[in-house]
Amino acid sequence: MNQREAFLKIFDKGVSYDKYAELTSNDKIKDRMQKHSEATEKIIKSMDQDKLKRLNEKMKVLCIGENWCGDCTNAIPVLSKLADSMENWEFAIAPKAPFEKELNLFY
């Protein structure tokens, strides 16, 4: 398996941000994720939309993250909102543990 095949395998098994948030059982973490998501939405709306359009190339964006990880619960809502604003981006989130073998191809 090469890196491209590994990436696509993981991406295809990934979940949406809504599903990721739904799988988060800690209410404190869910609240923090919601706040980051709302703040990011406001920032994106206030940004120069022409500059944002430059990022809107066709791509798949994959986040490897766990919903118990503080850094992930801070960053993933931000990346998700950015992906939502890009019509050419596909976005997925996958946990690390089931894909250790595939992810080792990237180290």
Side-chain angles (χ1 to χ4, degrees):
M1 177 178 299
N2 63 35
Q3 286 181 333
R4 178 175 172 71
E5 291 167 337
F7 175 88
L8 292 173
K9 177 182 178 180
I10 300 167
F11 188 89
D12 289 343
K13 301 264 186 197
V15 298
S16 68
Y17 175 75
D18 290 338
K19 182 66 173 177
Y20 173 82
E22 180 184 309
L23 294 170
T24 304
S25 59
N26 183 309
D27 288 338
K28 184 177 177 182
I29 290 174
K30 277 187 178 183
D31 290 344
R32 182 176 45 194
M33 290 168 56
Q34 183 64 33
K35 287 177 184 172
H36 287 306
S37 183
E38 290 169 0
T40 301
E41 188 170 7
K42 289 178 187 175
I43 291 168
I44 289 172
K45 286 181 179 178
S46 72
M47 292 176 72
D48 181 333
Q49 297 304 301
D50 288 332
K51 287 183 181 178
L52 277 177
K53 284 180 185 176
R54 291 186 220 154
L55 299 173
N56 194 23
E57 294 182 26
K58 185 175 175 75
M59 69 176 79
K60 292 180 184 276
V61 178
L62 174 63
C63 288
I64 305 297
E66 305 289 348
N67 58 9
W68 50 260
C69 172
D71 290 338
C72 293
T73 58
N74 288 334
I76 290 177
V78 174
L79 292 170
S80 175
K81 280 296 178 188
L82 183 59
D84 286 347
S85 70
M86 301 293 161
E87 61 190 39
N88 292 319
W89 287 19
E90 293 179 63
F91 182 76
I93 306 159
K96 181 181 178 185
F99 302 107
E100 293 279 347
K101 179 182 169 191
E102 292 83 357
L103 291 169
N104 282 331
L105 294 170
F106 295 92
Y107 296 108

